[in-house]
Amino acid sequence: MVEMGQLNRLKVIREVEFGVYLQGDRDGGILLPKSEVPAGARLGDHLQVFVYLDTNDMPIATTRRPRAQVGQFTNLKVVEVNDVGAFLDWGLPKDLFLPFNEQTRRLQPGEHVTVYLYLDNTGRIAATTKVEKHLAADVDYQQGQLVELLVWRRTDIGYLVIIDNQAQGLLHQQDIHRPVRPGQRLSGFIKQLREDGKITVMLEKPGYGRVDPLAQQILQYLEARNGFCVLGDKSAPDAIRETFGVSKKAYKMALGQLMKAGRIRQDEQGIHLNG
């Protein structure tokens, strides 16, 4: 059975001048255009393809990989807005449709938006910004568990994130020690599982990476300068004070904290941001 809006592994059943047909649910198969056919593909071969509807609402296959499949969340750029809705760039020739009634606000071309991909009642692939209704309320996580995060949107106290393509979480501002923006995909850890079912996450493993204000200042300095600073724990006190406004002793303590947490490393040239 062919799954619309998903990657499928399908058998080549017929060759034509303009491509090949792959075994599918419809008579005659599903077309993979000639420009998409891998070199050396033959009858009987199995190809991994993404299946969607073309501009005539006919199933078509592509060897290209869209930025998301049906059932997934992602962040996409709005390329057009017209009388029926918005259209998003998802990496395929036919843009992804986002109906007006699936928008939480009116969108503008050029902006990026977090969406969930679904099949509408006609079988067409579409997107919605009403992602909350597609997030699971009952998930099974453990404190400290490694998870994948999609940064969703900013709030007054941090960022809402989507955890493992299934649940909502909160990344508190106090746990952010590097630049974060909506649309980013990051690795993180479960920080707390609250009794009300809400989840908080952090970017560093619990017990590591918590730093004082001076250490945060050093990290921000490194991030703004390609992860490098010439000032190490043997640098002149005056140079340290001029750059960071603190004593050499305080600076060395902050460096020690960051190295212990695995955030930086030091060599003869200076200090380097890890990762």
Side-chain angles (χ1 to χ4, degrees):
M1 178 178 178
V2 176
E3 295 186 83
M4 185 66 61
Q6 303 285 343
L7 290 173
N8 295 262
R9 187 169 175 81
L10 303 179
K11 182 180 178 180
V12 179
I13 58 172
R14 185 157 53 99
E15 295 178 322
V16 293
E17 183 179 351
F18 45 86
V20 301
Y21 279 91
L22 307 174
Q23 190 169 33
D25 300 333
R26 54 185 287 108
D27 293 339
I30 297 173
L31 176 66
L32 176 63
K34 185 175 182 179
S35 61
E36 301 265 358
V37 179
R42 300 177 180 178
L43 287 174
D45 287 352
H46 286 79
L47 305 178
Q48 188 171 43
V49 295
F50 182 80
V51 180
Y52 66 113
L53 299 182
D54 64 13
T55 53
N56 296 315
D57 286 340
M58 296 292 291
I60 192 167
T62 177
T63 52
R64 302 185 191 186
R65 298 292 186 267
R67 296 188 176 90
Q69 301 180 54
V70 167
Q72 295 180 344
F73 301 88
T74 191
N75 187 274
L76 299 174
K77 182 179 180 180
V78 179
V79 293
E80 182 185 353
V81 177
N82 61 22
D83 294 339
V84 295
F87 292 84
L88 313 176
D89 177 10
W90 65 322
L92 296 183
K94 181 184 178 183
D95 294 327
L96 180 63
F97 181 47
L98 172 56
F100 276 133
N101 62 1
E102 292 294 339
Q103 298 176 26
T104 54
R105 60 178 177 81
R106 188 59 59 94
L107 301 173
Q108 299 297 324
E111 68 175 298
H112 286 76
V113 61
T114 297
V115 296
Y116 175 83
L117 275 63
Y118 68 99
L119 292 179
D120 68 14
N121 55 14
T122 67
R124 290 177 294 186
I125 304 169
T128 176
T129 61
K130 299 176 181 179
V131 300
E132 292 95 333
K133 63 183 179 181
H134 298 285
L135 292 167
D138 184 19
V139 291
D140 184 19
Y141 285 114
Q142 300 295 322
Q143 187 172 358
Q145 182 176 336
L146 177 65
V147 291
E148 292 300 315
L149 308 174
L150 171 63
V151 182
W152 175 10
R153 60 182 172 86
R154 190 178 184 92
T155 72
D156 292 339
I157 57 174
Y159 287 89
L160 288 179
V161 298
I162 297 172
I163 307 169
D164 287 341
N165 199 60
Q166 64 174 344
Q168 177 179 314
L170 175 65
L171 175 61
H172 278 288
Q173 189 65 47
Q174 66 189 32
D175 293 318
I176 301 175
H177 307 301
R178 61 183 191 232
V180 170
R181 58 173 174 75
Q184 267 187 304
R185 292 189 181 274
L186 304 165
S187 293
F189 298 87
I190 300 297
K191 179 181 180 182
Q192 184 182 24
L193 301 164
R194 295 177 19 173
E195 291 184 0
D196 60 4
K198 294 183 178 179
I199 305 171
T200 57
V201 300
M202 57 195 308
L203 302 182
E204 291 79 29
K205 191 171 184 178
Y208 295 88
R210 297 183 181 181
V211 295
D212 61 27
L214 175 55
Q216 291 185 30
Q217 181 184 350
I218 295 170
L219 289 175
Q220 291 168 357
Y221 183 94
L222 289 167
E223 288 162 350
R225 292 164 178 81
N226 296 316
F228 175 70
C229 175
V230 298
L231 299 175
D233 59 11
K234 293 184 174 59
S235 297
D238 289 347
I240 293 171
R241 187 175 297 278
E242 181 177 351
T243 302
F244 292 101
V246 298
S247 68
K248 180 173 181 177
K249 180 178 179 181
Y251 185 70
K252 288 178 66 175
M253 290 177 62
L255 292 187
Q257 183 182 14
L258 290 171
M259 285 189 282
K260 183 177 179 181
R263 305 295 298 279
I264 66 170
R265 65 186 187 280
Q266 182 174 219
D267 57 24
E268 294 180 355
Q269 283 72 46
I271 57 174
H272 306 262
L273 186 65
N274 286 330

